[in-house]
Amino acid sequence: MRWTVVVANLPYLLEGLQGTVLLGLLVMALGTVLGFAVGLARLGRGVVYAAATAFVELFRDTPLIMQIFFIFFGLPAVGIRLNAFVAASVAMTFFAAANTAEIVRGAIQSLPRGQWEAARSLGLSSAQTLRWVILPQALRRTLPPLMGLFTTLLKDTSLAAIVNVFELTTAGRRVVERTLASFEIWLVVAALYFLLCYPLSVATQRLERRLVAEVP
Amino acid sequence: MSRTDPIILLQGVHKWFGRLHVLRGIDLEVWPGEVVVICGPSGSGKSTLIRCINRLERHDRGRIVVDGIELTDDLRHVDAVRREVGMVFQQFNLFPHLTVLQNITLAPVLVRKWPREQAERVARELLERVGIPEKADSYPSQLSGGQQQRVAIARALAMQPKIMLFDEPTSALDPEMIQEVLDVMRDLARRGMTMVVVTHEMGFAREVADRIVFMDEGAIVEVAPPDTFFTRPRHERTRAFLSKILR
């Protein structure tokens, strides 16, 4: 075992980790905003509903890696050239948004129909009902699954390595190619992912327990 | 509208759930200040009927006119009717994330555009009236079923409706809490509120109702004042129902 290799290359790996965190945070933020919009659109009717549904199904029922390939390698054929980081961000944002949309829709539909009926029978419009009665309750219910999704997204940023975005997995691969210390480097890379995701995972479980305890 | 116009008018109302024909030609008039109790076996369409009056269900055929406004697909008409018609549900349907006071003030502030102070003053008066002024800052989950239903009544009354609909308001309550809710409803009837009440509480019906409507299989079988209804029902199905429920 050559642990000195690890020590020597740790700063480079940590730089890669920065790329992972940056990509992860970007995708979580954009994906959440877009996902809420799409999730609410799925409560609508007609064209709005159809477009939102098509978006969700398209990005949930194809592999994320295909989406990255298509945006990075496929779109240039129709004149859209994005650099690797942007391509990976776009693909992952859409993937995150499609999954967030399902979480939002699920949370809203898990509320008893009586909540809608009570609000509507008091004369509230559907927008007022959504804003003051449904969303405040649904938001709490989206938190645990949303944080679960964030954990998945953080790990899935490693897929961006396939188009050579500089993040932790790419950094690891480059070090291994140079030093041939596969065992040590991949072990450390895995440990770094674990250190990133484990606290998020524990926090999710705590939050879940707390929300379950509080639900009337 | 003259004094002799019904405040609720149903003419030939039909309703289907898929292929199930749940309302089969309902004709009913309710007069201002009247208390009408609807009873009948489960699945007879009585809940569907009162849910059509504020369009929580859409009727498929016939006419429904409430306070001079015909219920159509025109959402402005639907909203206008809902502002004048309060509804109380079997499952209370309070908003669990809001306090009792916020539950009651929500609609007056959002829909009637009342200033918050006015809405809160009215809400506290109503809580006084339903007997739980000390619960203003509690959350629904901290209340008993009977208290929750009294809050639900106060919430509906805060909109100052002309008509109150009750859909089995005591069916989800423990027996010892039924009276406190019926007391509030009795008080409401005495003050002249127009009420349509779906209930199995025949004691309440006998004492408070002006007329009792008996429904079976989506149709109105018999309409009569309580005295006649309980002592000389005309139809065999009414007698069969009463013998079961009045054991």
PDB file of all heavy atoms in Angstrom, chain A residues 30-53:
ATOM      1  N   LEU A  30     -31.402  24.713  -8.891  1.00  0.00           N
ATOM      2  CA  LEU A  30     -32.166  24.889 -10.127  1.00  0.00           C
ATOM      3  C   LEU A  30     -33.238  23.815 -10.260  1.00  0.00           C
ATOM      4  O   LEU A  30     -34.374  24.093 -10.658  1.00  0.00           O
ATOM      5  CB  LEU A  30     -31.227  24.845 -11.338  1.00  0.00           C
ATOM      6  CG  LEU A  30     -30.189  25.968 -11.420  1.00  0.00           C
ATOM      7  CD1 LEU A  30     -29.289  25.792 -12.638  1.00  0.00           C
ATOM      8  CD2 LEU A  30     -30.884  27.324 -11.479  1.00  0.00           C
ATOM      9  N   GLY A  31     -32.873  22.586  -9.901  1.00  0.00           N
ATOM     10  CA  GLY A  31     -33.819  21.477 -10.023  1.00  0.00           C
ATOM     11  C   GLY A  31     -35.025  21.654  -9.114  1.00  0.00           C
ATOM     12  O   GLY A  31     -36.151  21.327  -9.489  1.00  0.00           O
ATOM     13  N   THR A  32     -34.806  22.193  -7.912  1.00  0.00           N
ATOM     14  CA  THR A  32     -35.918  22.388  -6.979  1.00  0.00           C
ATOM     15  C   THR A  32     -36.882  23.453  -7.501  1.00  0.00           C
ATOM     16  O   THR A  32     -38.104  23.257  -7.511  1.00  0.00           O
ATOM     17  CB  THR A  32     -35.384  22.796  -5.594  1.00  0.00           C
ATOM     18  OG1 THR A  32     -34.491  21.790  -5.140  1.00  0.00           O
ATOM     19  CG2 THR A  32     -36.522  22.944  -4.604  1.00  0.00           C
ATOM     20  N   VAL A  33     -36.315  24.574  -7.967  1.00  0.00           N
ATOM     21  CA  VAL A  33     -37.178  25.650  -8.474  1.00  0.00           C
ATOM     22  C   VAL A  33     -37.991  25.169  -9.673  1.00  0.00           C
ATOM     23  O   VAL A  33     -39.228  25.272  -9.712  1.00  0.00           O
ATOM     24  CB  VAL A  33     -36.318  26.885  -8.863  1.00  0.00           C
ATOM     25  CG1 VAL A  33     -37.176  27.921  -9.560  1.00  0.00           C
ATOM     26  CG2 VAL A  33     -35.654  27.468  -7.624  1.00  0.00           C
ATOM     27  N   LEU A  34     -37.279  24.579 -10.650  1.00  0.00           N
ATOM     28  CA  LEU A  34     -37.966  24.095 -11.848  1.00  0.00           C
ATOM     29  C   LEU A  34     -38.951  22.974 -11.492  1.00  0.00           C
ATOM     30  O   LEU A  34     -40.069  22.918 -12.004  1.00  0.00           O
ATOM     31  CB  LEU A  34     -36.924  23.600 -12.866  1.00  0.00           C
ATOM     32  CG  LEU A  34     -37.458  23.121 -14.214  1.00  0.00           C
ATOM     33  CD1 LEU A  34     -38.194  24.248 -14.930  1.00  0.00           C
ATOM     34  CD2 LEU A  34     -36.317  22.603 -15.100  1.00  0.00           C
ATOM     35  N   GLY A  35     -38.530  22.109 -10.566  1.00  0.00           N
ATOM     36  CA  GLY A  35     -39.366  20.979 -10.179  1.00  0.00           C
ATOM     37  C   GLY A  35     -40.672  21.407  -9.523  1.00  0.00           C
ATOM     38  O   GLY A  35     -41.725  20.827  -9.777  1.00  0.00           O
ATOM     39  N   PHE A  36     -40.628  22.445  -8.682  1.00  0.00           N
ATOM     40  CA  PHE A  36     -41.867  22.935  -8.071  1.00  0.00           C
ATOM     41  C   PHE A  36     -42.800  23.493  -9.139  1.00  0.00           C
ATOM     42  O   PHE A  36     -44.007  23.252  -9.113  1.00  0.00           O
ATOM     43  CB  PHE A  36     -41.567  23.998  -7.004  1.00  0.00           C
ATOM     44  CG  PHE A  36     -41.410  23.411  -5.633  1.00  0.00           C
ATOM     45  CD1 PHE A  36     -40.204  22.882  -5.223  1.00  0.00           C
ATOM     46  CD2 PHE A  36     -42.504  23.350  -4.767  1.00  0.00           C
ATOM     47  CE1 PHE A  36     -40.068  22.305  -3.965  1.00  0.00           C
ATOM     48  CE2 PHE A  36     -42.383  22.779  -3.503  1.00  0.00           C
ATOM     49  CZ  PHE A  36     -41.161  22.262  -3.102  1.00  0.00           C
ATOM     50  N   ALA A  37     -42.219  24.237 -10.096  1.00  0.00           N
ATOM     51  CA  ALA A  37     -43.043  24.799 -11.169  1.00  0.00           C
ATOM     52  C   ALA A  37     -43.715  23.678 -11.958  1.00  0.00           C
ATOM     53  O   ALA A  37     -44.929  23.715 -12.212  1.00  0.00           O
ATOM     54  CB  ALA A  37     -42.188  25.668 -12.086  1.00  0.00           C
ATOM     55  N   VAL A  38     -42.933  22.647 -12.308  1.00  0.00           N
ATOM     56  CA  VAL A  38     -43.491  21.541 -13.103  1.00  0.00           C
ATOM     57  C   VAL A  38     -44.515  20.765 -12.279  1.00  0.00           C
ATOM     58  O   VAL A  38     -45.577  20.382 -12.774  1.00  0.00           O
ATOM     59  CB  VAL A  38     -42.365  20.610 -13.598  1.00  0.00           C
ATOM     60  CG1 VAL A  38     -42.939  19.387 -14.306  1.00  0.00           C
ATOM     61  CG2 VAL A  38     -41.423  21.358 -14.531  1.00  0.00           C
ATOM     62  N   GLY A  39     -44.214  20.556 -10.990  1.00  0.00           N
ATOM     63  CA  GLY A  39     -45.139  19.820 -10.125  1.00  0.00           C
ATOM     64  C   GLY A  39     -46.484  20.524 -10.015  1.00  0.00           C
ATOM     65  O   GLY A  39     -47.536  19.889 -10.082  1.00  0.00           O
ATOM     66  N   LEU A  40     -46.457  21.854  -9.861  1.00  0.00           N
ATOM     67  CA  LEU A  40     -47.715  22.611  -9.790  1.00  0.00           C
ATOM     68  C   LEU A  40     -48.430  22.586 -11.137  1.00  0.00           C
ATOM     69  O   LEU A  40     -49.652  22.498 -11.197  1.00  0.00           O
ATOM     70  CB  LEU A  40     -47.443  24.060  -9.361  1.00  0.00           C
ATOM     71  CG  LEU A  40     -46.966  24.223  -7.915  1.00  0.00           C
ATOM     72  CD1 LEU A  40     -46.720  25.696  -7.596  1.00  0.00           C
ATOM     73  CD2 LEU A  40     -47.977  23.644  -6.932  1.00  0.00           C
ATOM     74  N   ALA A  41     -47.629  22.629 -12.223  1.00  0.00           N
ATOM     75  CA  ALA A  41     -48.245  22.589 -13.562  1.00  0.00           C
ATOM     76  C   ALA A  41     -48.999  21.278 -13.763  1.00  0.00           C
ATOM     77  O   ALA A  41     -49.997  21.231 -14.482  1.00  0.00           O
ATOM     78  CB  ALA A  41     -47.177  22.748 -14.639  1.00  0.00           C
ATOM     79  N   ARG A  42     -48.551  20.222 -13.094  1.00  0.00           N
ATOM     80  CA  ARG A  42     -49.240  18.939 -13.249  1.00  0.00           C
ATOM     81  C   ARG A  42     -50.591  18.908 -12.546  1.00  0.00           C
ATOM     82  O   ARG A  42     -51.363  17.962 -12.709  1.00  0.00           O
ATOM     83  CB  ARG A  42     -48.366  17.788 -12.728  1.00  0.00           C
ATOM     84  CG  ARG A  42     -47.190  17.515 -13.630  1.00  0.00           C
ATOM     85  CD  ARG A  42     -46.676  16.129 -13.447  1.00  0.00           C
ATOM     86  NE  ARG A  42     -47.579  15.144 -14.040  1.00  0.00           N
ATOM     87  CZ  ARG A  42     -47.432  13.847 -13.887  1.00  0.00           C
ATOM     88  NH1 ARG A  42     -46.462  13.366 -13.156  1.00  0.00           N
ATOM     89  NH2 ARG A  42     -48.270  13.011 -14.449  1.00  0.00           N
ATOM     90  N   LEU A  43     -50.864  19.922 -11.732  1.00  0.00           N
ATOM     91  CA  LEU A  43     -52.213  20.029 -11.140  1.00  0.00           C
ATOM     92  C   LEU A  43     -53.167  20.713 -12.105  1.00  0.00           C
ATOM     93  O   LEU A  43     -54.374  20.726 -11.901  1.00  0.00           O
ATOM     94  CB  LEU A  43     -52.173  20.843  -9.843  1.00  0.00           C
ATOM     95  CG  LEU A  43     -51.310  20.302  -8.706  1.00  0.00           C
ATOM     96  CD1 LEU A  43     -51.307  21.292  -7.554  1.00  0.00           C
ATOM     97  CD2 LEU A  43     -51.816  18.951  -8.248  1.00  0.00           C
ATOM     98  N   GLY A  44     -52.593  21.324 -13.152  1.00  0.00           N
ATOM     99  CA  GLY A  44     -53.424  22.085 -14.089  1.00  0.00           C
ATOM    100  C   GLY A  44     -54.136  21.184 -15.082  1.00  0.00           C
ATOM    101  O   GLY A  44     -54.298  19.989 -14.863  1.00  0.00           O
ATOM    102  N   ARG A  45     -54.573  21.802 -16.163  1.00  0.00           N
ATOM    103  CA  ARG A  45     -55.316  21.066 -17.183  1.00  0.00           C
ATOM    104  C   ARG A  45     -54.748  21.360 -18.548  1.00  0.00           C
ATOM    105  O   ARG A  45     -53.922  22.240 -18.719  1.00  0.00           O
ATOM    106  CB  ARG A  45     -56.790  21.508 -17.178  1.00  0.00           C
ATOM    107  CG  ARG A  45     -57.589  20.818 -16.114  1.00  0.00           C
ATOM    108  CD  ARG A  45     -58.968  21.412 -16.042  1.00  0.00           C
ATOM    109  NE  ARG A  45     -59.364  21.492 -14.628  1.00  0.00           N
ATOM    110  CZ  ARG A  45     -60.523  21.957 -14.223  1.00  0.00           C
ATOM    111  NH1 ARG A  45     -61.384  22.405 -15.093  1.00  0.00           N
ATOM    112  NH2 ARG A  45     -60.803  21.988 -12.942  1.00  0.00           N
ATOM    113  N   GLY A  46     -55.213  20.624 -19.549  1.00  0.00           N
ATOM    114  CA  GLY A  46     -54.925  20.917 -20.946  1.00  0.00           C
ATOM    115  C   GLY A  46     -53.447  20.899 -21.272  1.00  0.00           C
ATOM    116  O   GLY A  46     -52.719  19.999 -20.841  1.00  0.00           O
ATOM    117  N   VAL A  47     -53.017  21.917 -22.032  1.00  0.00           N
ATOM    118  CA  VAL A  47     -51.654  21.955 -22.555  1.00  0.00           C
ATOM    119  C   VAL A  47     -50.628  21.992 -21.425  1.00  0.00           C
ATOM    120  O   VAL A  47     -49.598  21.317 -21.482  1.00  0.00           O
ATOM    121  CB  VAL A  47     -51.473  23.200 -23.457  1.00  0.00           C
ATOM    122  CG1 VAL A  47     -50.080  23.186 -24.084  1.00  0.00           C
ATOM    123  CG2 VAL A  47     -52.548  23.235 -24.527  1.00  0.00           C
ATOM    124  N   VAL A  48     -50.907  22.785 -20.393  1.00  0.00           N
ATOM    125  CA  VAL A  48     -49.979  22.917 -19.268  1.00  0.00           C
ATOM    126  C   VAL A  48     -49.730  21.556 -18.634  1.00  0.00           C
ATOM    127  O   VAL A  48     -48.591  21.141 -18.413  1.00  0.00           O
ATOM    128  CB  VAL A  48     -50.555  23.895 -18.216  1.00  0.00           C
ATOM    129  CG1 VAL A  48     -49.659  23.948 -16.989  1.00  0.00           C
ATOM    130  CG2 VAL A  48     -50.704  25.273 -18.834  1.00  0.00           C
ATOM    131  N   TYR A  49     -50.813  20.848 -18.365  1.00  0.00           N
ATOM    132  CA  TYR A  49     -50.704  19.525 -17.750  1.00  0.00           C
ATOM    133  C   TYR A  49     -49.945  18.567 -18.671  1.00  0.00           C
ATOM    134  O   TYR A  49     -49.038  17.857 -18.227  1.00  0.00           O
ATOM    135  CB  TYR A  49     -52.099  18.969 -17.452  1.00  0.00           C
ATOM    136  CG  TYR A  49     -52.083  17.519 -17.047  1.00  0.00           C
ATOM    137  CD1 TYR A  49     -51.779  17.141 -15.746  1.00  0.00           C
ATOM    138  CD2 TYR A  49     -52.336  16.508 -17.986  1.00  0.00           C
ATOM    139  CE1 TYR A  49     -51.734  15.816 -15.376  1.00  0.00           C
ATOM    140  CE2 TYR A  49     -52.296  15.177 -17.617  1.00  0.00           C
ATOM    141  CZ  TYR A  49     -51.999  14.836 -16.322  1.00  0.00           C
ATOM    142  OH  TYR A  49     -51.948  13.515 -15.955  1.00  0.00           O
ATOM    143  N   ALA A  50     -50.291  18.579 -19.958  1.00  0.00           N
ATOM    144  CA  ALA A  50     -49.676  17.654 -20.912  1.00  0.00           C
ATOM    145  C   ALA A  50     -48.174  17.906 -21.019  1.00  0.00           C
ATOM    146  O   ALA A  50     -47.373  16.967 -20.990  1.00  0.00           O
ATOM    147  CB  ALA A  50     -50.348  17.784 -22.275  1.00  0.00           C
ATOM    148  N   ALA A  51     -47.783  19.181 -21.104  1.00  0.00           N
ATOM    149  CA  ALA A  51     -46.367  19.520 -21.244  1.00  0.00           C
ATOM    150  C   ALA A  51     -45.597  19.084 -19.995  1.00  0.00           C
ATOM    151  O   ALA A  51     -44.526  18.480 -20.089  1.00  0.00           O
ATOM    152  CB  ALA A  51     -46.206  21.019 -21.484  1.00  0.00           C
ATOM    153  N   ALA A  52     -46.160  19.384 -18.829  1.00  0.00           N
ATOM    154  CA  ALA A  52     -45.490  19.032 -17.577  1.00  0.00           C
ATOM    155  C   ALA A  52     -45.353  17.519 -17.445  1.00  0.00           C
ATOM    156  O   ALA A  52     -44.310  17.004 -17.032  1.00  0.00           O
ATOM    157  CB  ALA A  52     -46.264  19.613 -16.395  1.00  0.00           C
ATOM    158  N   THR A  53     -46.413  16.800 -17.814  1.00  0.00           N
ATOM    159  CA  THR A  53     -46.386  15.348 -17.713  1.00  0.00           C
ATOM    160  C   THR A  53     -45.344  14.756 -18.668  1.00  0.00           C
ATOM    161  O   THR A  53     -44.583  13.866 -18.291  1.00  0.00           O
ATOM    162  CB  THR A  53     -47.783  14.760 -18.027  1.00  0.00           C
ATOM    163  OG1 THR A  53     -48.718  15.354 -17.127  1.00  0.00           O
ATOM    164  CG2 THR A  53     -47.803  13.259 -17.855  1.00  0.00           C
TER     165      THR A  53
END
